[in-house]
Amino acid sequence: MKNWLITGVSRGLGKALAEAALARGDTVIGTVREGNPDIAQGNGAFHPLLLDVRDPKAIETAVSRAFDLVDRLDVVVNNAGYGLLGPVEAVTDTDMTRLFEVNVFGPLRVIRAVLPRLRAQRSGHIINITSIAGRAPNAGSGVYSATKAALEGLSQSLWQELRPLGIHVSAVAPGAFRTDFLTDHSIRQTSLRSEDYATSVGTIVTALRQTDGRQIGDPERCAQGILAVVDSNTPPLHLLLGSDALRRARVKLDQVIDEMDQWEQVTRSTDFP
Ligand SMILES: NC(=O)c1ccc[n+]([C@@H]2O[C@H](COP(=O)([O-])OP(=O)(O)OC[C@H]3O[C@@H](n4cnc5c(N)ncnc54)[C@H](OP(=O)(O)O)[C@@H]3O)[C@@H](O)[C@H]2O)c1
């Protein structure tokens, strides 16, 4: 049986994952920003903690409290996050700072706070919930994509740093899942700023907002996918979840390889002879 720390279990993927782990008898310490989360306890033990991941001091307190509740943490899931739609040009300093605080600096601080104990344990698994947007961005979500790409990059380095210490790292990139992610409760949107963006950003944002409630991804199946990752002896560094994510990632990889081939001569031309 595993002990989990999961950020953002009030709703969506975090809640589904917490309930899936609890259903099989695991212990979950789950963070929420306010109130008491409505979580099905299953056969496990659930401990709610209050945490806004924008608050560095609160992260330290929450992690320390987590290690008071359990003697070791097996899985730490950086799940809390939200999206921002709109052209890159229209993103304000306040919007971009807040997004990076929640989607990047929060997870990074959680990782920093848990690592001394995970290193002492010589075990543990850090799961960073990124996004297909971090690997194959579309117009209209540039800054959100940047936060998730940052988390992907961080995960890859961490994986190399922690592997010799017996600690796993996985960056899990979901496609579109049917949660509150696209609702006004979660997602933020800037103005279009100019009609110049109507056909690129405008079209994509409208289409995206119309998929709310009809996303192909099932949060409970997402949770089962993550359970498979944490139960594996050879967990992946990168995992896509959802057939839409797979399709987008494949198209992107093909484009990268084509472009690399097309410009190979210039690429190779810059070395000292
Ligand atoms: N659903 C998708 O299609 C999709 C696709 C790719 C990636 N993701 C990623 O999956 C993760 C979970 O998203 P979701 O789909 O489950 O969305 P969601 O239903 O909107 O849930 C988001 C969760 O994050 C929490 N949260 C937001 N800001 C926070 C903060 N400052 N401090 C602490 N908690 C905070 C929310 O808490 P409150 O209830 O207090 O707001 C909520 O529990 C996110 O990182 C998201 O980027 C989702």
Side-chain angles (χ1 to χ4, degrees):
M1 282 193 305
K2 294 190 190 307
N3 298 331
W4 299 66
L5 172 64
I6 308 174
T7 63
V9 298
S10 60
R11 309 180 272 134
L13 301 183
K15 181 176 185 192
L17 181 57
E19 290 186 335
L22 287 164
R24 65 184 204 167
D26 289 356
T27 295
V28 175
I29 300 161
T31 78
V32 291
R33 279 195 287 183
E34 57 183 6
N36 226 339
D38 171 26
I39 297 273
Q41 293 242 7
N43 299 317
F46 177 64
H47 305 280
L49 288 182
L50 282 180
L51 176 66
D52 185 324
V53 297
R54 294 170 69 197
D55 181 345
K57 196 86 207 126
I59 288 177
E60 282 178 24
T61 307
V63 167
S64 149
R65 179 92 187 90
F67 280 109
D68 290 341
L69 289 164
V70 290
D71 57 354
R72 57 158 223 287
L73 277 176
D74 303 302
V75 192
V76 177
V77 186
N78 277 310
N79 163 74
Y82 72 98
L84 176 67
L85 299 176
V88 170
E89 184 191 338
V91 176
T92 64
D93 274 7
T94 308
D95 285 343
M96 69 172 128
T97 303
R98 189 179 190 284
L99 195 65
F100 269 85
E101 275 175 0
V102 175
N103 288 6
V104 182
F105 304 144
L108 174 47
R109 289 187 176 114
V110 168
I111 290 165
R112 237 174 27 193
V114 296
L115 270 182
R117 290 290 293 262
L118 299 194
R119 283 192 293 104
Q121 291 173 192
R122 285 293 194 266
S123 70
H125 195 156
I126 295 169
I127 309 258
N128 293 323
I129 305 296
T130 63
S131 170
I132 183 59
R135 297 226 228 149
N138 283 326
S141 55
V143 181
Y144 174 68
S145 300
T147 64
K148 294 303 189 176
L151 208 47
E152 288 268 330
L154 185 80
S155 303
Q156 179 138 8
S157 286
L158 259 186
W159 181 81
Q160 293 171 64
E161 292 173 9
L162 299 181
R163 202 164 53 139
L165 309 179
I167 302 165
H168 299 296
V169 179
S170 299
V172 173
F177 277 82
R178 212 172 293 173
T179 66
D180 284 350
F181 184 75
L182 289 176
T183 67
D184 289 334
H185 190 131
S186 292
I187 202 128
R188 295 185 174 215
Q189 193 169 333
T190 70
S191 66
L192 259 195
R193 172 151 297 199
S194 157
E195 275 306 300
D196 288 349
Y197 292 115
T199 49
S200 55
V201 176
T203 310
I204 284 197
V205 168
T206 305
L208 204 56
R209 302 279 329 220
Q210 282 168 354
T211 63
D212 183 26
R214 295 189 291 123
Q215 296 96 326
I216 193 171
D218 174 352
E220 287 176 19
R221 288 183 165 85
C222 176
Q224 293 305 323
I226 295 172
L227 290 187
V229 166
V230 304
D231 289 342
S232 168
N233 291 326
T234 53
L237 163 58
H238 295 292
L239 179 76
L240 295 162
L241 288 177
S243 60
D244 55 334
L246 188 63
R247 195 166 48 246
R248 277 173 68 178
R250 286 219 159 108
V251 169
K252 170 72 185 184
L253 285 176
D254 287 347
Q255 284 168 351
V256 168
I257 288 171
D258 283 353
E259 200 169 60
M260 224 160 64
D261 289 347
Q262 204 180 329
W263 287 87
E264 184 171 343
Q265 215 183 335
V266 173
T267 300
R268 288 186 179 281
S269 71
T270 56
D271 297 353
F272 283 111

